[in-house]
Amino acid sequence: IQRVIPSITAIALVFSLAAGFIPEPYDRGDVKNVIFIIGDGMGENHLKMVKQELGIKLAMETMPFRGQVKTRSLGMVVTDSAAAATALACGVRTTNGAVGVYPYDMFAWEGYPINLTELAIEKGMKTGIVTTDSTTGATPAGFSAHTSARGNAADIANQQIGSDIDLIWGAADSKTLKANVETGGFTYVSTLTELNAINAGTRSFGQFNGGDLWRPVNTSNTPTLSQMTEKAINLLDNDEGFFLMIEGAHFDKHSHGNNREGVLEFAPEFDKAVAAALDFADRD
């Protein structure tokens, strides 16, 4: 006992000293806007390669805090984008391929976990989803739909169109029809010119050229990710705050095919979108 008590005291002292170096958490009441940026499939290896090959510094590495989060799916060490998006958006581990549902209730007979977009809507905030993937892709679906399989594109599109989300922009999807979008109360946009013409207070659904959407420079009247980011922030900014999810899907898409050049082309554009969000945070 004489040996144990001093050890416990020493350990407690170490923890109390360490606690002094832990920054005070933000008061949640002080947080007005949330911009959630996801580099789908992006890892430390991508960032190291980009910095070495292009000789650039990354805006994303200037943030004051850095951490890691596990998004493994239920029962699998290697996740897919659907289960990972569910973990990020809903705080729930589900099976690979499932979107926004509990693993024991894939068809949501007993309900489904609320996602961050829905929570923001409940709090009266404006909301938006921006992606270089299809608007019914796994990651945007995780923040806007609930379904047993990521391949249920028609179901995902119908849920998005029937939602109260203010803007959903990404690559055109065959299940997202212009007539349905407009019936749902959205303005349908398919070019950069049309996107720039959108005014605050107008709900919009972007269906852009997916072959060019991820590129840093476009000649096809298609917006870049950073252009969409800047426009979305300007449209959503309001007194009640907003939640915006931005996905750069092409780390994952290029890496599946070992497309090194594609990653090197896409990464600076993704980081430019991060920089746009950081610039807004500094202004706000």
Side-chain angles (χ1 to χ4, degrees):
I1 293 176
Q2 290 177 337
R3 293 179 179 177
V4 171
I5 291 176
S7 297
I8 294 174
T9 303
I11 291 170
L13 180 60
V14 168
F15 275 115
S16 84
L17 288 172
F21 295 100
I22 299 174
E24 287 291 322
Y26 285 111
D27 183 343
R28 294 184 181 185
D30 292 338
V31 177
K32 177 182 176 184
N33 305 307
V34 178
I35 303 175
F36 195 143
I37 307 178
I38 300 172
D40 188 30
M42 185 183 74
E44 296 290 348
N45 52 332
H46 293 95
L47 303 185
K48 182 177 180 180
M49 179 185 73
V50 168
K51 289 185 292 184
Q52 287 181 341
E53 294 293 320
L54 301 181
I56 62 174
K57 295 182 178 180
L58 298 173
M60 68 181 80
E61 294 190 324
T62 66
M63 294 183 181
F65 300 107
R66 185 185 184 108
Q68 294 184 340
V69 60
K70 293 181 178 180
T71 56
R72 59 169 293 176
S73 57
L74 185 71
M76 294 288 290
V77 174
V78 179
T79 188
D80 81 326
S81 294
T86 301
L88 294 172
C90 305
V92 170
R93 293 196 193 283
T94 193
T95 57
N96 281 345
V99 176
V101 294
Y102 294 112
Y104 55 81
D105 188 16
M106 300 297 288
F107 296 97
W109 300 118
E110 298 179 8
Y112 46 75
I114 188 171
N115 62 48
L116 290 172
T117 312
E118 293 163 334
L119 182 62
I121 291 171
E122 284 189 3
K123 293 182 175 297
M125 302 167 71
K126 289 189 177 296
T127 55
I129 292 174
V130 171
T131 179
T132 60
D133 194 6
S134 161
T135 49
T136 61
T139 302
F143 287 80
S144 60
H146 306 271
T147 186
S148 60
R150 60 186 291 179
N152 295 337
D155 185 21
I156 294 168
N158 288 336
Q159 290 186 50
Q160 291 174 333
I161 292 169
S163 74
D164 291 323
I165 300 172
D166 293 284
L167 63 88
I168 303 174
W169 302 342
D173 178 86
S174 62
K175 303 298 182 181
T176 305
L177 304 178
K178 182 178 181 179
N180 293 345
V181 165
E182 292 176 343
T183 299
F186 291 93
T187 295
Y188 184 98
V189 294
S190 60
T191 66
L192 174 60
T193 301
E194 292 174 346
L195 183 70
N196 286 336
I198 296 293
N199 296 316
T202 299
R203 298 174 68 221
S204 55
F205 212 119
Q207 294 287 278
F208 303 110
N209 179 348
D212 285 338
L213 191 62
W214 62 273
R215 296 185 183 279
V217 178
N218 289 324
T219 58
S220 61
N221 204 11
T222 299
T224 64
L225 180 61
S226 60
Q227 287 173 330
M228 290 194 295
T229 297
E230 292 174 1
K231 182 67 174 182
I233 290 172
N234 288 335
L235 290 177
L236 295 175
D237 188 21
N238 73 102
D239 292 339
E240 302 302 318
F242 66 84
F243 172 80
L244 172 63
M245 192 286 288
I246 302 165
E247 181 202 18
H250 282 72
F251 288 103
D252 188 57
K253 292 185 180 300
H254 290 316
S255 296
H256 276 297
N258 292 322
N259 183 355
R260 173 178 171 276
E261 289 72 21
V263 171
L264 290 173
E265 184 177 4
F266 175 67
E269 175 60 25
F270 176 79
D271 195 57
K272 188 176 179 181
V274 174
L278 291 175
D279 286 344
F280 170 74
D282 290 340
R283 296 197 311 270
D284 195 54

